[in-house]
Amino acid sequence: MTRQVILGATLSALMITPSLAAEIAPTDVTYVEGAIEASLTGVPGDPVNGKKIMTTRALGNCVACHPISTMPDVPFHGNIGPELNGAPDRWTEAQLRGIVANAKMTFDGTIMPAFYKTGTFIRPGAGYTGKAPEGPLSPILTAQQIEDVVAYLMTLKE
Amino acid sequence: MKLRTSALATATALGLALTGMAWAEPVEDTLTIETDDGQITMVTTAPAPAHLSDVMDTIYSGWHFRDAETRAMQMDDFDNPGMVFVDRGLDAWNAALGKNGESCAGCHQSPESMAGLRAVVPRVDEKTGKLMLMEDYINSCVTERMGLEAWGMTSKSMKDMLALISFQSRGMTVNVATDGAAAPYWEKGREIYYTRYGQLELACANCHEDNYGNYIRSDHLSQGQINGFPVYRLKNAGILSAQQRLIGCVRDTRAETFKAGSDELKALELYVASRGNGLSVEGVSVRN
């Protein structure tokens, strides 16, 4: 799993395969009032994988902060952020993509981390190891993982 | 909870930033500890020290944020697994560990001679002008007065001794100095406290000032006070020093941490301690 992520990031950095070449790199993303209009990959997101990302600590870990009533099977939801059920009633897909990629563009100074950002950070580490990273940082989520999460969020219409 | 969610939803719909909105729900309870020498009642809730008056009214010991079972373990020394480490510290205190057979007891007599120290350390040492953690004081005796190699900052010997020395000040009021010679260190610690480190870009304040009382996954967020340190941590079945806790919290922001005993973490420990000025020294307390 980790290996795939790293491989994906490396490939996309080198822009080797044609499908990945279409990907928009974190530094090339255009935010319009916090929203990202176009898909980051051109490949439709997979909501099932999106849900997995949102509940996995080393990935999205959205449940750490958000109650999500559509996931009663997942134990211990945090309550730092708002309930996500109904999010697509409040936000467009483009706005949700912007929020997941870098919520600071929508909510100034928010505690919510930016999941599709590679710089600038103060003392970034290599994941949760506490050590300095070797080489350039990858975003916390890949472009396709962002799309997967957005696809899941879009299923949360109330 | 229900109310908050809808309030948040409304506010976010309006595009308002919501940081700074604390939802405090520390458990109402009183910490009276059964000890060998009778009961001690701890001050676990106190008016915030003046330097925090802009951000909070009341400070709470982390004890208020733990579940009933964990809280209960700290209410009787007999049930507190941390006491084993106090005993181990006492054995080391009395042992002739030094190169020439010196012992802590040989120079300091009973560990009770340390009563009151935990409440005022970290502090700037009058003679050297250096900021001293308790670990630094211990190590200066270990190296200069006993002829030994310094103990590791987070070693077992060090943490046993921290447990023993804290225990002597239990129930006394935390009152670390923030002014005078301490001021520059305190300012540095304060700056670190509000810096958003790591790839998650989180400052101590984001969790422990803006969100205490809320849950982050299954963790009930406290104010991140260190009056209870060292703590016995059930998860690790061992003693955790304040330095270790600070390291863990920095690491969890996906940041490169600071080393135990580094200038940064010493300054941060002083600053964090000062946010608890007014609470009782509780170490050794119990955490999940």
Side-chain angles (χ1 to χ4, degrees):
Chain A
M1 182 62 214
T2 327
R3 187 190 234 123
Q4 262 173 13
V5 172
I6 292 167
L7 201 72
T10 319
L11 287 179
S12 68
L14 299 173
M15 297 214 177
I16 290 175
T17 50
S19 68
L20 287 170
E23 239 181 66
I24 301 169
T27 43
D28 294 338
V29 177
T30 314
Y31 291 87
V32 180
E33 288 175 19
I36 305 172
E37 291 302 332
S39 162
L40 295 172
T41 60
V43 179
D46 167 8
V48 177
N49 196 39
K51 179 179 173 185
K52 212 167 120 202
I53 292 162
M54 291 173 71
T55 54
T56 304
R57 183 172 183 261
L59 295 173
N61 203 22
C62 319
V63 284
C65 290
H66 291 281
I68 312 177
S69 60
T70 52
M71 297 182 179
D73 49 317
V74 178
F76 306 123
H77 299 211
N79 64 348
I80 287 177
E83 165 67 54
L84 290 186
N85 194 14
D89 304 321
R90 298 186 287 273
W91 307 96
T92 65
E93 184 183 327
Q95 286 174 322
L96 288 174
R97 185 179 291 111
I99 291 173
V100 181
N102 186 349
K104 281 147 180 97
M105 299 295 185
T106 302
F107 311 109
D108 193 26
T110 182
I111 187 174
M112 180 164 155
F115 291 94
Y116 200 58
K117 177 179 165 182
T118 48
T120 319
F121 301 112
I122 304 168
R123 289 182 78 86
Y128 290 101
T129 62
K131 301 202 171 77
E134 287 170 24
L137 279 185
S138 306
I140 298 170
L141 298 179
T142 64
Q144 193 55 45
Q145 286 173 327
I146 300 282
E147 293 303 324
D148 293 350
V149 169
V150 172
Y152 180 79
L153 290 175
M154 288 307 290
T155 67
L156 300 181
K157 279 203 165 63
E158 267 181 321
Chain B
M1 172 66 215
K2 185 94 200 200
L3 197 139
R4 171 163 198 260
T5 308
S6 56
L8 264 165
T10 319
T12 52
L14 295 170
L16 299 178
L18 288 166
T19 48
M21 183 165 168
W23 203 248
E25 42 174 71
V27 176
E28 271 187 46
D29 200 351
T30 304
L31 177 54
T32 299
I33 303 181
E34 300 290 338
T35 77
D36 282 349
D37 311 314
Q39 294 186 334
I40 331 176
T41 297
M42 300 283 168
V43 176
T44 55
T45 302
H51 68 86
L52 289 181
S53 62
D54 287 352
V55 293
M56 54 180 66
D57 300 328
T58 309
I59 51 174
Y60 301 96
S61 158
W63 180 79
H64 280 283
F65 298 83
R66 309 285 47 101
D67 62 22
E69 211 179 312
T70 311
R71 288 202 309 281
M73 290 176 92
Q74 205 188 314
M75 296 173 86
D76 191 333
D77 282 351
F78 191 74
D79 298 328
N80 183 336
M83 292 306 146
V84 173
F85 299 86
V86 174
D87 288 343
R88 281 190 0 192
L90 183 59
D91 290 343
W93 180 270
N94 290 319
L97 301 173
K99 208 169 172 193
N100 298 310
E102 302 92 338
S103 69
C104 318
C107 294
H108 292 290
Q109 282 78 45
S110 138
E112 279 149 41
S113 61
M114 296 287 148
L117 191 62
R118 176 73 278 173
V120 296
V121 168
R123 75 166 175 214
V124 174
D125 189 75
E126 274 179 24
K127 284 167 218 154
T128 62
K130 283 191 189 144
L131 179 62
M132 302 289 276
L133 300 179
M134 190 66 77
E135 288 91 327
D136 298 320
Y137 276 119
I138 294 171
N139 258 340
S140 67
C141 286
V142 166
T143 57
E144 291 161 29
R145 300 192 174 98
M146 300 171 89
L148 302 172
E149 291 276 308
W151 289 351
M153 286 300 277
T154 61
S155 62
K156 280 188 183 151
S157 318
M158 182 61 86
K159 291 195 287 179
D160 291 350
M161 199 53 78
L162 289 179
L164 176 70
I165 294 178
S166 285
F167 184 76
Q168 311 308 319
S169 299
R170 259 198 332 179
M172 296 181 181
T173 307
V174 177
N175 186 23
V176 296
T178 59
D179 54 359
Y185 297 107
W186 184 83
E187 286 295 346
K188 182 173 173 185
R190 184 177 190 284
E191 187 190 318
I192 293 173
Y193 194 88
Y194 288 98
T195 299
R196 300 186 67 157
Y197 289 108
Q199 198 168 8
L200 298 183
E201 299 175 277
L202 293 172
C204 315
N206 288 126
C207 287
H208 294 299
E209 182 173 292
D210 300 341
N211 280 293
Y212 67 89
N214 284 331
Y215 282 83
I216 189 155
R217 203 77 202 247
S218 63
D219 281 318
H220 195 192
L221 274 174
S222 71
Q223 291 181 340
Q225 299 285 0
I226 52 171
N227 62 304
F229 279 78
V231 300
Y232 179 85
R233 199 148 180 219
L234 297 163
K235 190 174 127 185
N236 314 98
I239 290 286
L240 193 80
S241 67
Q243 288 282 299
Q244 286 177 305
R245 179 79 241 195
L246 304 187
I247 289 173
C249 275
V250 176
R251 183 197 57 219
D252 286 350
T253 67
R254 292 176 83 122
E256 180 189 352
T257 55
F258 300 100
K259 284 201 177 63
S262 61
D263 290 347
E264 290 88 352
L265 281 196
K266 284 167 71 168
L268 183 61
E269 182 170 331
L270 169 65
Y271 176 71
V272 174
S274 80
R275 294 175 69 100
N277 276 352
L279 297 173
S280 296
V281 173
E282 278 173 43
V284 180
S285 62
V286 185
R287 298 290 185 264
N288 49 301

